[in-house]
Amino acid sequence: TRFVDSHRFWCPEGIMIGDNVSIQKDAFFMLPYGNFAGKPRIKIGNGCDIGYRCIITAVNDITIEDKVLIANNVQIMDHNHAYEKIGVPIMDQGVVVKENGEVVVGYGSWLGNNVVIAGTVHIGRGCVIGANSVVTSDIPDYCVAVGSPAKIVKGFSYKTGKWCRLKNEEERIAFLKERKKSKPIL
């Protein structure tokens, strides 16, 4: 594992980092409640590359699988701030997290610059999340998603063996239905 310049780890006993991981300057990893509980809550797989100024913060569980490329200024969190109590500053309301909620970024995926992942989200294997996207729902294997909120714009067809551009919601629904009927090639 190679660490470049400065990093900050809050509750480092709850953070597991694999082999041959590169973490660039000013990355920040945090368990905001220090709730280690005997098992890592942030797990970074082997061969990952994490860009400058990335923030990864977990109340429950965040797993970054092997060989994931994370660009600069990416934020990954399995929770959000609570805001329901009118008149109480949001910073004093704690966080909202689904019971057993987790974030998983699948093997070999790429998160572009300034991506935000918030809440319980599973990003599949071999996915590309475009720069400045906000991911708040699952992205299946071998898809490209962009926007805020992120939507699938391209996917690899198991049936044809080619990448398909998906122009609208109707095409996305048809593509995902076809995916369920086809066997994955990998």
Short mmCIF file of all heavy atoms in Angstrom, two decimals, residues 25-87:
data_model
loop_
_atom_site.label_atom_id
_atom_site.label_comp_id
_atom_site.label_asym_id
_atom_site.label_seq_id
_atom_site.Cartn_x
_atom_site.Cartn_y
_atom_site.Cartn_z
N LYS A 25 -2.94 12.51 -1.75
CA LYS A 25 -2.92 13.53 -0.70
C LYS A 25 -4.32 13.99 -0.28
O LYS A 25 -5.22 14.12 -1.09
CB LYS A 25 -2.12 14.73 -1.21
CG LYS A 25 -1.92 15.81 -0.19
CD LYS A 25 -1.06 16.93 -0.75
CE LYS A 25 -0.91 18.00 0.29
NZ LYS A 25 -0.10 19.11 -0.18
N ASP A 26 -4.45 14.24 1.01
CA ASP A 26 -5.63 14.83 1.63
C ASP A 26 -6.87 13.94 1.59
O ASP A 26 -7.99 14.44 1.72
CB ASP A 26 -5.95 16.20 1.04
CG ASP A 26 -4.86 17.21 1.33
OD1 ASP A 26 -4.20 17.08 2.37
OD2 ASP A 26 -4.66 18.13 0.51
N ALA A 27 -6.70 12.64 1.43
CA ALA A 27 -7.85 11.72 1.54
C ALA A 27 -8.24 11.63 3.01
O ALA A 27 -7.39 11.75 3.90
CB ALA A 27 -7.48 10.35 0.98
N PHE A 28 -9.53 11.40 3.26
CA PHE A 28 -10.05 11.37 4.62
C PHE A 28 -10.99 10.18 4.76
O PHE A 28 -11.93 10.04 3.98
CB PHE A 28 -10.77 12.68 4.93
CG PHE A 28 -11.31 12.79 6.32
CD1 PHE A 28 -10.49 12.60 7.42
CD2 PHE A 28 -12.63 13.13 6.54
CE1 PHE A 28 -10.98 12.72 8.72
CE2 PHE A 28 -13.14 13.25 7.82
CZ PHE A 28 -12.31 13.05 8.91
N PHE A 29 -10.72 9.32 5.73
CA PHE A 29 -11.52 8.13 6.00
C PHE A 29 -12.04 8.24 7.43
O PHE A 29 -11.27 8.50 8.34
CB PHE A 29 -10.67 6.86 5.87
CG PHE A 29 -10.07 6.70 4.51
CD1 PHE A 29 -8.90 7.36 4.16
CD2 PHE A 29 -10.67 5.89 3.57
CE1 PHE A 29 -8.35 7.21 2.90
CE2 PHE A 29 -10.12 5.72 2.31
CZ PHE A 29 -8.96 6.40 1.98
N MET A 30 -13.36 8.01 7.62
CA MET A 30 -13.92 8.29 8.93
C MET A 30 -15.06 7.34 9.28
O MET A 30 -15.91 7.03 8.47
CB MET A 30 -14.45 9.72 8.97
CG MET A 30 -15.10 10.10 10.28
SD MET A 30 -15.50 11.86 10.40
CE MET A 30 -17.01 11.96 9.50
N LEU A 31 -15.05 6.89 10.54
CA LEU A 31 -16.21 6.28 11.18
C LEU A 31 -16.70 7.35 12.15
O LEU A 31 -16.13 7.53 13.23
CB LEU A 31 -15.81 5.02 11.95
CG LEU A 31 -15.72 3.71 11.17
CD1 LEU A 31 -14.71 3.78 10.06
CD2 LEU A 31 -15.44 2.57 12.09
N PRO A 32 -17.74 8.13 11.77
CA PRO A 32 -18.10 9.31 12.54
C PRO A 32 -18.46 9.05 13.99
O PRO A 32 -18.33 9.94 14.82
CB PRO A 32 -19.28 9.91 11.77
CG PRO A 32 -19.77 8.84 10.89
CD PRO A 32 -18.63 7.91 10.64
N TYR A 33 -18.89 7.85 14.30
CA TYR A 33 -19.24 7.54 15.68
C TYR A 33 -18.20 6.66 16.35
O TYR A 33 -18.43 6.19 17.46
CB TYR A 33 -20.64 6.90 15.75
CG TYR A 33 -21.70 7.86 15.31
CD1 TYR A 33 -22.38 7.68 14.13
CD2 TYR A 33 -21.98 9.00 16.07
CE1 TYR A 33 -23.34 8.59 13.71
CE2 TYR A 33 -22.93 9.92 15.65
CZ TYR A 33 -23.61 9.70 14.48
OH TYR A 33 -24.54 10.61 14.06
N GLY A 34 -17.09 6.39 15.66
CA GLY A 34 -16.05 5.54 16.25
C GLY A 34 -16.58 4.17 16.61
O GLY A 34 -16.10 3.53 17.53
N ASN A 35 -17.56 3.69 15.87
CA ASN A 35 -18.26 2.44 16.19
C ASN A 35 -17.60 1.23 15.51
O ASN A 35 -18.20 0.56 14.70
CB ASN A 35 -19.74 2.53 15.82
CG ASN A 35 -19.96 2.85 14.35
OD1 ASN A 35 -19.07 3.35 13.67
ND2 ASN A 35 -21.15 2.58 13.87
N PHE A 36 -16.39 0.95 15.89
CA PHE A 36 -15.62 -0.14 15.29
C PHE A 36 -16.29 -1.48 15.49
O PHE A 36 -16.48 -2.23 14.55
CB PHE A 36 -14.19 -0.12 15.86
CG PHE A 36 -13.38 -1.31 15.51
CD1 PHE A 36 -13.24 -1.72 14.19
CD2 PHE A 36 -12.73 -2.04 16.49
CE1 PHE A 36 -12.47 -2.82 13.87
CE2 PHE A 36 -11.97 -3.13 16.17
CZ PHE A 36 -11.84 -3.52 14.86
N ALA A 37 -16.68 -1.85 16.67
CA ALA A 37 -17.42 -3.07 16.99
C ALA A 37 -16.77 -4.35 16.48
O ALA A 37 -17.45 -5.29 16.12
CB ALA A 37 -18.86 -2.96 16.48
N GLY A 38 -15.44 -4.38 16.41
CA GLY A 38 -14.73 -5.62 16.09
C GLY A 38 -14.59 -6.00 14.63
O GLY A 38 -13.95 -6.96 14.31
N LYS A 39 -15.22 -5.26 13.72
CA LYS A 39 -15.05 -5.54 12.30
C LYS A 39 -14.92 -4.23 11.55
O LYS A 39 -15.50 -3.21 11.93
CB LYS A 39 -16.24 -6.34 11.75
CG LYS A 39 -17.53 -5.57 11.68
CD LYS A 39 -18.62 -6.38 10.99
CE LYS A 39 -19.83 -5.51 10.81
NZ LYS A 39 -20.15 -5.15 9.49
N PRO A 40 -14.13 -4.26 10.47
CA PRO A 40 -13.96 -3.01 9.71
C PRO A 40 -15.28 -2.54 9.11
O PRO A 40 -16.08 -3.34 8.66
CB PRO A 40 -12.98 -3.39 8.60
CG PRO A 40 -12.47 -4.74 8.91
CD PRO A 40 -13.38 -5.36 9.92
N ARG A 41 -15.49 -1.25 9.12
CA ARG A 41 -16.68 -0.67 8.50
C ARG A 41 -16.35 -0.07 7.14
O ARG A 41 -17.23 0.13 6.32
CB ARG A 41 -17.30 0.37 9.41
CG ARG A 41 -17.78 -0.26 10.71
CD ARG A 41 -18.87 0.55 11.34
NE ARG A 41 -19.30 -0.05 12.58
CZ ARG A 41 -20.36 -0.84 12.68
NH1 ARG A 41 -21.06 -1.14 11.63
NH2 ARG A 41 -20.71 -1.33 13.86
N ILE A 42 -15.09 0.25 6.91
CA ILE A 42 -14.62 0.69 5.59
C ILE A 42 -13.60 -0.35 5.14
O ILE A 42 -12.61 -0.59 5.83
CB ILE A 42 -13.98 2.09 5.64
CG1 ILE A 42 -15.01 3.13 6.07
CG2 ILE A 42 -13.36 2.44 4.29
CD1 ILE A 42 -14.44 4.53 6.29
N LYS A 43 -13.86 -0.93 3.96
CA LYS A 43 -12.96 -1.95 3.41
C LYS A 43 -12.55 -1.54 1.99
O LYS A 43 -13.42 -1.40 1.13
CB LYS A 43 -13.64 -3.32 3.40
CG LYS A 43 -14.00 -3.81 4.80
CD LYS A 43 -14.74 -5.12 4.80
CE LYS A 43 -16.20 -5.04 4.52
NZ LYS A 43 -17.06 -4.27 5.36
N ILE A 44 -11.26 -1.35 1.81
CA ILE A 44 -10.71 -0.98 0.50
C ILE A 44 -9.98 -2.21 -0.03
O ILE A 44 -9.04 -2.70 0.60
CB ILE A 44 -9.73 0.20 0.60
CG1 ILE A 44 -10.32 1.37 1.40
CG2 ILE A 44 -9.24 0.61 -0.78
CD1 ILE A 44 -11.47 2.06 0.77
N GLY A 45 -10.39 -2.71 -1.19
CA GLY A 45 -9.81 -3.92 -1.76
C GLY A 45 -8.42 -3.70 -2.34
O GLY A 45 -7.90 -2.58 -2.40
N ASN A 46 -7.83 -4.77 -2.80
CA ASN A 46 -6.49 -4.77 -3.38
C ASN A 46 -6.44 -3.99 -4.69
O ASN A 46 -7.39 -4.02 -5.48
CB ASN A 46 -6.02 -6.20 -3.65
CG ASN A 46 -5.92 -7.01 -2.39
OD1 ASN A 46 -5.53 -6.51 -1.34
ND2 ASN A 46 -6.27 -8.28 -2.48
N GLY A 47 -5.32 -3.30 -4.91
CA GLY A 47 -5.06 -2.65 -6.19
C GLY A 47 -5.91 -1.43 -6.49
O GLY A 47 -5.97 -1.00 -7.64
N CYS A 48 -6.55 -0.85 -5.50
CA CYS A 48 -7.37 0.35 -5.73
C CYS A 48 -6.50 1.59 -5.83
O CYS A 48 -5.39 1.63 -5.30
CB CYS A 48 -8.39 0.53 -4.60
SG CYS A 48 -9.67 -0.74 -4.59
N ASP A 49 -7.01 2.61 -6.50
CA ASP A 49 -6.33 3.89 -6.62
C ASP A 49 -7.34 4.97 -6.22
O ASP A 49 -8.37 5.12 -6.87
CB ASP A 49 -5.84 4.11 -8.04
CG ASP A 49 -4.91 5.30 -8.16
OD1 ASP A 49 -4.98 6.23 -7.31
OD2 ASP A 49 -4.10 5.32 -9.10
N ILE A 50 -7.04 5.68 -5.14
CA ILE A 50 -7.96 6.67 -4.59
C ILE A 50 -7.33 8.06 -4.76
O ILE A 50 -6.22 8.31 -4.31
CB ILE A 50 -8.25 6.38 -3.10
CG1 ILE A 50 -8.91 4.99 -2.99
CG2 ILE A 50 -9.12 7.46 -2.49
CD1 ILE A 50 -9.10 4.49 -1.60
N GLY A 51 -8.06 8.95 -5.42
CA GLY A 51 -7.56 10.26 -5.80
C GLY A 51 -7.45 11.26 -4.66
O GLY A 51 -7.80 11.00 -3.51
N TYR A 52 -6.98 12.44 -5.02
CA TYR A 52 -6.80 13.55 -4.09
C TYR A 52 -8.13 13.98 -3.46
O TYR A 52 -9.15 13.99 -4.11
CB TYR A 52 -6.19 14.76 -4.81
CG TYR A 52 -4.78 14.54 -5.26
CD1 TYR A 52 -4.51 14.08 -6.54
CD2 TYR A 52 -3.71 14.78 -4.40
CE1 TYR A 52 -3.21 13.87 -6.95
CE2 TYR A 52 -2.40 14.57 -4.80
CZ TYR A 52 -2.16 14.11 -6.09
OH TYR A 52 -0.87 13.89 -6.49
N ARG A 53 -8.08 14.32 -2.19
CA ARG A 53 -9.19 14.91 -1.45
C ARG A 53 -10.46 14.07 -1.44
O ARG A 53 -11.57 14.61 -1.36
CB ARG A 53 -9.49 16.33 -1.96
CG ARG A 53 -8.35 17.30 -1.77
CD ARG A 53 -8.56 18.61 -2.47
NE ARG A 53 -8.76 18.48 -3.90
CZ ARG A 53 -7.79 18.31 -4.80
NH1 ARG A 53 -6.55 18.24 -4.41
NH2 ARG A 53 -8.07 18.18 -6.08
N CYS A 54 -10.34 12.77 -1.49
CA CYS A 54 -11.52 11.90 -1.40
C CYS A 54 -11.93 11.75 0.06
O CYS A 54 -11.09 11.76 0.96
CB CYS A 54 -11.23 10.53 -1.99
SG CYS A 54 -11.10 10.59 -3.78
N ILE A 55 -13.24 11.61 0.28
CA ILE A 55 -13.77 11.43 1.63
C ILE A 55 -14.63 10.17 1.62
O ILE A 55 -15.55 10.05 0.82
CB ILE A 55 -14.61 12.65 2.07
CG1 ILE A 55 -13.75 13.91 2.10
CG2 ILE A 55 -15.28 12.38 3.42
CD1 ILE A 55 -14.55 15.19 2.30
N ILE A 56 -14.32 9.25 2.52
CA ILE A 56 -15.10 8.03 2.67
C ILE A 56 -15.49 7.93 4.13
O ILE A 56 -14.62 7.88 5.00
CB ILE A 56 -14.31 6.79 2.21
CG1 ILE A 56 -13.93 6.94 0.73
CG2 ILE A 56 -15.12 5.51 2.45
CD1 ILE A 56 -13.06 5.82 0.18
N THR A 57 -16.80 7.92 4.41
CA THR A 57 -17.27 7.93 5.79
C THR A 57 -18.41 6.93 5.96
O THR A 57 -19.37 6.95 5.19
CB THR A 57 -17.66 9.36 6.23
OG1 THR A 57 -18.23 9.32 7.53
CG2 THR A 57 -18.59 10.04 5.28
N ALA A 58 -18.27 6.05 6.95
CA ALA A 58 -19.22 4.95 7.13
C ALA A 58 -19.75 4.88 8.56
O ALA A 58 -18.97 4.90 9.51
CB ALA A 58 -18.56 3.62 6.79
N VAL A 59 -21.08 4.77 8.68
CA VAL A 59 -21.70 4.44 9.95
C VAL A 59 -21.90 2.92 10.00
O VAL A 59 -21.63 2.29 11.01
CB VAL A 59 -23.05 5.18 10.12
CG1 VAL A 59 -23.80 4.67 11.34
CG2 VAL A 59 -22.80 6.68 10.23
N ASN A 60 -22.34 2.33 8.90
CA ASN A 60 -22.53 0.88 8.82
C ASN A 60 -21.39 0.19 8.09
O ASN A 60 -20.55 -0.43 8.69
CB ASN A 60 -23.85 0.53 8.12
CG ASN A 60 -25.04 0.62 9.03
OD1 ASN A 60 -24.91 0.57 10.24
ND2 ASN A 60 -26.20 0.79 8.46
N ASP A 61 -21.38 0.31 6.73
CA ASP A 61 -20.43 -0.48 5.97
C ASP A 61 -20.23 0.09 4.57
O ASP A 61 -21.21 0.33 3.86
CB ASP A 61 -20.95 -1.92 5.86
CG ASP A 61 -19.93 -2.87 5.30
OD1 ASP A 61 -18.84 -2.98 5.88
OD2 ASP A 61 -20.22 -3.50 4.26
N ILE A 62 -18.98 0.29 4.20
CA ILE A 62 -18.61 0.66 2.84
C ILE A 62 -17.55 -0.32 2.37
O ILE A 62 -16.53 -0.51 3.04
CB ILE A 62 -18.08 2.10 2.75
CG1 ILE A 62 -19.18 3.10 3.10
CG2 ILE A 62 -17.51 2.38 1.35
CD1 ILE A 62 -18.74 4.55 3.14
N THR A 63 -17.81 -0.94 1.21
CA THR A 63 -16.85 -1.87 0.62
C THR A 63 -16.48 -1.38 -0.77
O THR A 63 -17.35 -1.21 -1.62
CB THR A 63 -17.44 -3.29 0.52
OG1 THR A 63 -17.81 -3.75 1.82
CG2 THR A 63 -16.45 -4.26 -0.11
N ILE A 64 -15.20 -1.16 -0.97
CA ILE A 64 -14.66 -0.84 -2.28
C ILE A 64 -13.92 -2.10 -2.72
O ILE A 64 -12.90 -2.46 -2.11
CB ILE A 64 -13.67 0.36 -2.23
CG1 ILE A 64 -14.26 1.55 -1.48
CG2 ILE A 64 -13.18 0.71 -3.62
CD1 ILE A 64 -15.46 2.19 -2.10
N GLU A 65 -14.46 -2.80 -3.72
CA GLU A 65 -13.85 -4.06 -4.14
C GLU A 65 -12.52 -3.80 -4.86
O GLU A 65 -12.14 -2.65 -5.10
CB GLU A 65 -14.83 -4.85 -5.00
CG GLU A 65 -16.05 -5.30 -4.20
CD GLU A 65 -17.04 -6.13 -4.98
OE1 GLU A 65 -16.89 -6.28 -6.23
OE2 GLU A 65 -17.99 -6.64 -4.36
N ASP A 66 -11.82 -4.87 -5.22
CA ASP A 66 -10.50 -4.78 -5.85
C ASP A 66 -10.52 -3.98 -7.16
O ASP A 66 -11.52 -3.97 -7.88
CB ASP A 66 -9.98 -6.19 -6.17
CG ASP A 66 -9.72 -7.03 -4.93
OD1 ASP A 66 -9.71 -6.48 -3.81
OD2 ASP A 66 -9.53 -8.25 -5.09
N LYS A 67 -9.37 -3.33 -7.43
CA LYS A 67 -9.07 -2.67 -8.70
C LYS A 67 -10.05 -1.55 -9.05
O LYS A 67 -10.33 -1.30 -10.22
CB LYS A 67 -9.02 -3.68 -9.84
CG LYS A 67 -8.02 -4.81 -9.65
CD LYS A 67 -6.62 -4.32 -9.61
CE LYS A 67 -6.03 -4.39 -11.00
NZ LYS A 67 -4.65 -3.96 -11.06
N VAL A 68 -10.57 -0.85 -8.06
CA VAL A 68 -11.47 0.28 -8.29
C VAL A 68 -10.62 1.55 -8.41
O VAL A 68 -9.70 1.78 -7.62
CB VAL A 68 -12.52 0.41 -7.17
CG1 VAL A 68 -13.30 1.71 -7.29
CG2 VAL A 68 -13.45 -0.79 -7.18
N LEU A 69 -10.94 2.35 -9.41
CA LEU A 69 -10.28 3.63 -9.64
C LEU A 69 -11.22 4.74 -9.19
O LEU A 69 -12.34 4.84 -9.69
CB LEU A 69 -9.95 3.77 -11.13
CG LEU A 69 -9.30 5.06 -11.59
CD1 LEU A 69 -7.96 5.27 -10.88
CD2 LEU A 69 -9.10 5.02 -13.10
N ILE A 70 -10.76 5.53 -8.23
CA ILE A 70 -11.56 6.63 -7.69
C ILE A 70 -10.82 7.92 -7.98
O ILE A 70 -9.70 8.12 -7.49
CB ILE A 70 -11.81 6.45 -6.18
CG1 ILE A 70 -12.56 5.12 -5.92
CG2 ILE A 70 -12.58 7.63 -5.62
CD1 ILE A 70 -12.76 4.80 -4.45
N ALA A 71 -11.43 8.81 -8.76
CA ALA A 71 -10.79 10.06 -9.15
C ALA A 71 -10.79 11.05 -7.97
O ALA A 71 -11.17 10.71 -6.85
CB ALA A 71 -11.51 10.65 -10.36
N ASN A 72 -10.40 12.27 -8.23
CA ASN A 72 -10.27 13.30 -7.21
C ASN A 72 -11.62 13.81 -6.70
O ASN A 72 -12.61 13.81 -7.42
CB ASN A 72 -9.48 14.49 -7.77
CG ASN A 72 -8.12 14.08 -8.24
OD1 ASN A 72 -7.49 13.20 -7.68
ND2 ASN A 72 -7.65 14.72 -9.30
N ASN A 73 -11.64 14.22 -5.43
CA ASN A 73 -12.79 14.89 -4.80
C ASN A 73 -14.05 14.03 -4.72
O ASN A 73 -15.16 14.56 -4.68
CB ASN A 73 -13.12 16.20 -5.52
CG ASN A 73 -11.95 17.13 -5.56
OD1 ASN A 73 -11.33 17.39 -4.54
ND2 ASN A 73 -11.61 17.62 -6.75
N VAL A 74 -13.91 12.73 -4.71
CA VAL A 74 -15.06 11.83 -4.61
C VAL A 74 -15.47 11.72 -3.15
O VAL A 74 -14.61 11.66 -2.26
CB VAL A 74 -14.73 10.45 -5.21
CG1 VAL A 74 -15.82 9.43 -4.89
CG2 VAL A 74 -14.51 10.57 -6.71
N GLN A 75 -16.78 11.70 -2.89
CA GLN A 75 -17.30 11.51 -1.53
C GLN A 75 -18.20 10.29 -1.52
O GLN A 75 -19.11 10.18 -2.35
CB GLN A 75 -18.10 12.72 -1.07
CG GLN A 75 -17.22 13.95 -0.92
CD GLN A 75 -17.99 15.10 -0.30
OE1 GLN A 75 -18.79 14.91 0.61
NE2 GLN A 75 -17.73 16.30 -0.78
N ILE A 76 -17.93 9.37 -0.59
CA ILE A 76 -18.73 8.16 -0.45
C ILE A 76 -19.17 8.08 1.00
O ILE A 76 -18.33 8.09 1.91
CB ILE A 76 -17.92 6.90 -0.82
CG1 ILE A 76 -17.38 7.01 -2.25
CG2 ILE A 76 -18.77 5.65 -0.65
CD1 ILE A 76 -16.40 5.91 -2.63
N MET A 77 -20.50 8.00 1.22
CA MET A 77 -21.01 7.88 2.58
C MET A 77 -22.24 6.98 2.57
O MET A 77 -23.01 6.98 1.61
CB MET A 77 -21.35 9.25 3.15
CG MET A 77 -22.42 10.00 2.40
SD MET A 77 -22.32 11.77 2.55
CE MET A 77 -21.08 12.13 1.32
N ASP A 78 -22.40 6.19 3.62
CA ASP A 78 -23.55 5.29 3.71
C ASP A 78 -24.69 5.90 4.52
O ASP A 78 -25.60 5.20 4.94
CB ASP A 78 -23.12 3.94 4.31
CG ASP A 78 -22.64 4.03 5.75
OD1 ASP A 78 -22.56 5.15 6.30
OD2 ASP A 78 -22.33 2.97 6.33
N HIS A 79 -24.66 7.19 4.72
CA HIS A 79 -25.64 7.87 5.57
C HIS A 79 -25.83 9.31 5.08
O HIS A 79 -25.08 9.78 4.24
CB HIS A 79 -25.16 7.87 7.03
CG HIS A 79 -23.82 8.50 7.19
ND1 HIS A 79 -22.65 7.84 6.89
CD2 HIS A 79 -23.46 9.74 7.59
CE1 HIS A 79 -21.63 8.64 7.12
NE2 HIS A 79 -22.09 9.80 7.54
N ASN A 80 -26.84 9.95 5.61
CA ASN A 80 -27.11 11.37 5.34
C ASN A 80 -27.39 12.07 6.66
O ASN A 80 -27.67 11.42 7.67
CB ASN A 80 -28.33 11.52 4.41
CG ASN A 80 -28.01 11.14 3.00
OD1 ASN A 80 -27.10 11.70 2.40
ND2 ASN A 80 -28.74 10.18 2.45
N HIS A 81 -27.36 13.38 6.65
CA HIS A 81 -27.70 14.14 7.85
C HIS A 81 -29.21 14.16 8.05
O HIS A 81 -29.98 14.29 7.11
CB HIS A 81 -27.19 15.59 7.76
CG HIS A 81 -25.72 15.69 7.91
ND1 HIS A 81 -25.10 15.66 9.13
CD2 HIS A 81 -24.73 15.78 7.00
CE1 HIS A 81 -23.80 15.75 8.97
NE2 HIS A 81 -23.55 15.82 7.68
N ALA A 82 -29.64 14.05 9.29
CA ALA A 82 -31.06 14.19 9.63
C ALA A 82 -31.41 15.67 9.59
O ALA A 82 -30.58 16.53 9.86
CB ALA A 82 -31.32 13.61 11.02
N TYR A 83 -32.67 15.97 9.25
CA TYR A 83 -33.11 17.36 9.16
C TYR A 83 -34.56 17.55 9.57
O TYR A 83 -35.12 18.63 9.41
CB TYR A 83 -32.91 17.89 7.74
CG TYR A 83 -33.67 17.10 6.70
CD1 TYR A 83 -34.98 17.37 6.39
CD2 TYR A 83 -33.04 16.04 6.05
CE1 TYR A 83 -35.68 16.63 5.46
CE2 TYR A 83 -33.73 15.28 5.11
CZ TYR A 83 -35.04 15.58 4.82
OH TYR A 83 -35.72 14.83 3.89
N GLU A 84 -35.20 16.53 10.13
CA GLU A 84 -36.64 16.55 10.39
C GLU A 84 -37.07 17.51 11.49
O GLU A 84 -38.21 17.98 11.50
CB GLU A 84 -37.14 15.14 10.73
CG GLU A 84 -37.14 14.19 9.54
CD GLU A 84 -35.76 13.63 9.22
OE1 GLU A 84 -34.85 13.72 10.07
OE2 GLU A 84 -35.58 13.12 8.11
N LYS A 85 -36.22 17.80 12.46
CA LYS A 85 -36.60 18.61 13.62
C LYS A 85 -36.45 20.10 13.31
O LYS A 85 -35.35 20.65 13.34
CB LYS A 85 -35.75 18.24 14.82
CG LYS A 85 -35.92 16.79 15.24
CD LYS A 85 -34.94 16.43 16.34
CE LYS A 85 -35.05 14.95 16.66
NZ LYS A 85 -33.95 14.50 17.52
N ILE A 86 -37.58 20.73 13.02
CA ILE A 86 -37.58 22.15 12.69
C ILE A 86 -37.08 22.95 13.89
O ILE A 86 -37.48 22.71 15.04
CB ILE A 86 -39.01 22.61 12.30
CG1 ILE A 86 -39.51 21.82 11.11
CG2 ILE A 86 -39.07 24.11 12.04
CD1 ILE A 86 -38.65 21.91 9.87
N GLY A 87 -36.21 23.91 13.64
CA GLY A 87 -35.68 24.76 14.70
C GLY A 87 -34.43 24.20 15.35
O GLY A 87 -33.78 24.90 16.12
#
